[in-house]
């Protein structure tokens, strides 16, 4: 993952301004949902993923640094996490956490444990 979890890795294939809404999100061991919303904001880039029925409609916020590769042709975002790691991430509430710095710090601590150096 990148040095900053809140920025896309240079090798991810991310292009600023490309709308990722609706892209499928693939963990290392299978599909986890679709991008519902995303941000390209420098230092605070993320994907909001709707997991659908997989984990009972839970939404998860993934820092952009977890993105391994973006396939614009197949409309897929590949993340460097397993389904279990995503499922066990800190609880997300769209109305409270999207821009919450303390929540971002909590996510950073959680995902830093899975960083590949």
């Amino acid at each position: 993952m990148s040095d900053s979890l809140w920025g896309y890795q240079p090798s991810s294939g991310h292009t600023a301004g490309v709308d990722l809404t609706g892209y499928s999100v693939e963990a290392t061991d299978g599909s986890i949902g679709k991008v519902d919303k995303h941000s390209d904001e420098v230092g605070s880039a993320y994907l909001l993923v709707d997991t659908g029925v997989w984990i009972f409609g839970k939404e998860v916020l993934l820092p952009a640094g977890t993105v391994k590769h973006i396939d614009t042709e197949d409309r897929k975002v590949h993340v460097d996490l397993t389904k279990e790691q995503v499922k066990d991430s800190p609880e997300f509430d769209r109305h409270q956490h999207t821009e919450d710095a303390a929540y971002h710090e909590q996510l950073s601590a959680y995902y830093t444990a899975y960083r590949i150096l």
Side-chain angles (χ1 to χ4, degrees):
M1 290 184 208
S2 69
D3 289 337
S4 169
L5 283 176
W6 300 98
Y8 289 94
Q9 299 177 62
S11 61
S12 70
H14 174 260
T15 303
V18 171
D19 186 5
L20 301 175
T21 304
Y23 276 44
S24 296
V25 181
E26 301 289 324
T28 57
D29 57 351
S31 179
I32 59 170
K34 293 199 180 295
V35 176
D36 188 43
K37 179 181 175 183
H38 68 99
S39 167
D40 285 342
E41 187 175 327
V42 175
S44 187
Y46 64 82
L47 300 175
L48 177 58
V49 180
D50 180 352
T51 63
V53 298
W54 173 55
I55 46 178
F56 307 108
K58 179 179 176 181
E59 291 180 317
V60 293
L61 192 71
L62 298 178
T66 64
V67 174
K68 183 176 181 179
H69 177 70
I70 299 170
D71 183 340
T72 54
E73 190 173 308
D74 288 336
R75 296 183 48 88
K76 290 184 179 181
V77 176
H78 298 268
V79 295
D80 219 3
L81 301 163
T82 66
K83 291 168 78 171
E84 192 71 22
Q85 290 166 338
V86 172
K87 182 180 176 186
D88 293 342
S89 67
E91 182 94 20
F92 175 75
D93 180 334
R94 175 190 290 249
H95 304 292
Q96 295 180 358
H97 296 136
T98 304
E99 303 297 329
D100 180 358
Y103 180 73
H104 283 208
E105 286 179 29
Q106 183 182 10
L107 278 183
S108 291
Y110 176 79
Y111 287 118
T112 296
Y114 301 109
R115 291 183 73 131
I116 297 172
L117 301 174

